[in-house]
Amino acid sequence: MLIDAHNHPNWHGFNAGKILRNMDEQGIDQMWLFSWEVPEDEYSPSYHAVLPPAGHGIPLEDVLAVGREAPDRFILGYMPHPKRPDAIDRLKAAVEIHGVRVASELKVRLPFDDPDALRLYEACGQMRLPITIHLDYPIDHGRGNYPRPNWWYGGSLDAFERAIVACPQTAFIGHAPGFWAHISGDDLYDKASYPDGPVLPGGRLSEIMRTYPNLYADLSAGSGLKALKRDRGFGRDFLIEFQDKLLFGRDYFDTSLMDFLLELALPEEAFAKITYQNAERLLSSYLSTP
Ligand SMILES: [Zn+2]
């Protein structure tokens, strides 16, 4: 069994047929499929190169359309923008009418602990929907001020931690460059999206993963993989220590994360938890411990 717990429809041109072929090629049984609800003024135009260029973000409709092609293989995700006055009702309707099971992906230019966002997370906890979050710090790209000098999302790890504390009944899944940069105890997290160099002791990621039972992380995208590869020994230890809280996911369609996990030769039990058991448990029993 293998579950990809972070992916998107039409991302990089992968429509339903291409996604299913790709899953078959890589032995992926199930995929969590996420929307990205984002207003145009929070959306980097660079995404027009890798998503259908007519709109912006990834609408729920695209998740539903791909999901319908193989309902037993897709777990549907949807997260409304927290500032929509009707966000909670929209999410409830998505759960009741369409069978949405994950509140993801949350990638917006709003600090994670915005009061309206906290209300939405509370509702997610009541509906037993885990939330996958995307954190990017405001790191200037150096190409001028328009449409934005940088593309931060979610604010900071501090804002995320306040949300985790404020909503103990809600499961959060950390993701993206600003989250993974905290694997190391250095000060590079707000200076480079993909910092490299040795992992210094005292990284806040390990600290918060140990502290909060409602915090999980997915290993998807370049951010997860690059962080684990900064120091392979540390990366392997991290995977083993947090084997009950980490989810295999790609956020893309290649084999790079799986190749790396196989190279590390993890204990069988840890490998099984990370590659599918944690994802199944999070949906079936929510916050209960193994
Ligand atoms: Zn994503």
Side-chain angles (χ1 to χ4, degrees):
M1 184 73 177
L2 179 58
I3 298 177
D4 177 351
H6 188 138
N7 228 315
H8 303 279
N10 299 328
W11 182 227
H12 294 268
F14 277 70
N15 58 17
K18 245 177 132 174
I19 291 176
L20 285 163
R21 274 197 300 282
N22 172 268
M23 290 169 74
D24 290 342
E25 277 161 21
Q26 295 183 28
I28 293 168
D29 298 282
Q30 281 192 334
M31 179 183 280
W32 292 14
L33 216 48
F34 298 159
S35 68
W36 177 21
E37 191 167 284
V38 57
E40 193 158 15
D41 62 7
E42 296 185 12
Y43 186 67
S44 164
S46 66
Y47 287 109
H48 287 308
V50 292
L51 279 170
H56 50 270
I58 303 169
L60 170 63
E61 289 71 23
D62 287 13
V63 171
L64 300 179
V66 170
R68 270 194 291 274
E69 297 296 316
D72 53 330
R73 299 190 70 184
F74 294 114
I75 302 291
L76 308 182
Y78 171 55
M79 187 54 148
H81 194 291
K83 296 311 278 188
R84 294 182 81 144
D86 53 0
I88 293 174
D89 286 338
R90 281 177 178 271
L91 187 55
K92 269 190 187 147
V95 169
E96 286 163 15
I97 298 169
H98 298 298
V100 159
R101 298 180 68 190
V102 188
S104 303
E105 178 171 353
L106 177 65
K107 180 175 179 179
V108 290
R109 287 172 72 89
L110 186 70
F112 286 118
D113 60 338
D114 175 272
D116 297 320
L118 293 179
R119 271 186 72 236
L120 179 59
Y121 308 154
E122 278 285 331
C124 291
Q126 283 157 14
M127 290 186 271
R128 303 165 76 83
L129 306 172
I131 305 170
T132 309
I133 64 92
H134 182 113
L135 169 57
D136 266 316
Y137 282 90
I139 297 170
D140 284 6
H141 48 59
R143 295 187 300 275
N145 287 333
Y146 295 95
R148 299 277 186 192
N150 57 58
W151 294 99
W152 68 264
Y153 292 102
S156 64
L157 194 72
D158 292 328
F160 184 36
E161 185 173 5
R162 288 192 290 272
I164 295 166
V165 170
C167 305
Q169 302 308 320
T170 304
F172 293 92
I173 303 171
H175 154 76
F179 178 79
W180 282 103
H182 286 285
I183 198 165
S184 176
D186 55 44
D187 61 355
L188 298 174
Y189 60 90
D190 58 357
K191 296 170 188 68
S193 293
Y194 300 98
D196 45 24
V199 172
L200 302 185
R204 286 191 53 204
L205 194 48
S206 296
E207 182 195 315
I208 60 171
M209 289 289 279
R210 283 183 199 120
T211 305
Y212 303 111
N214 58 328
L215 174 63
Y216 296 74
D218 80 42
L219 306 175
S220 71
S223 51
L225 186 57
K226 281 183 186 140
L228 294 170
K229 280 185 170 171
R230 275 176 78 164
D231 178 331
R232 293 171 83 91
F234 185 95
R236 190 172 189 279
D237 291 346
F238 185 92
L239 290 164
I240 291 171
E241 177 175 357
F242 300 112
Q243 60 183 276
D244 293 308
K245 312 184 79 184
L246 299 172
L247 311 179
F248 174 81
R250 296 181 301 162
D251 203 7
Y252 193 58
F253 299 95
D254 67 0
T255 62
S256 54
L257 176 62
M258 181 52 80
D259 296 343
F260 178 67
L261 293 178
L262 292 173
E263 269 170 46
L264 290 180
L266 294 169
E268 212 173 300
E269 200 191 5
F271 184 80
K273 287 177 186 172
I274 292 169
T275 52
Y276 75 96
Q277 288 174 356
N278 293 339
E280 283 187 331
R281 181 167 49 87
L282 199 44
L283 293 187
S284 62
S285 56
Y286 207 52
L287 291 180
S288 66
T289 43

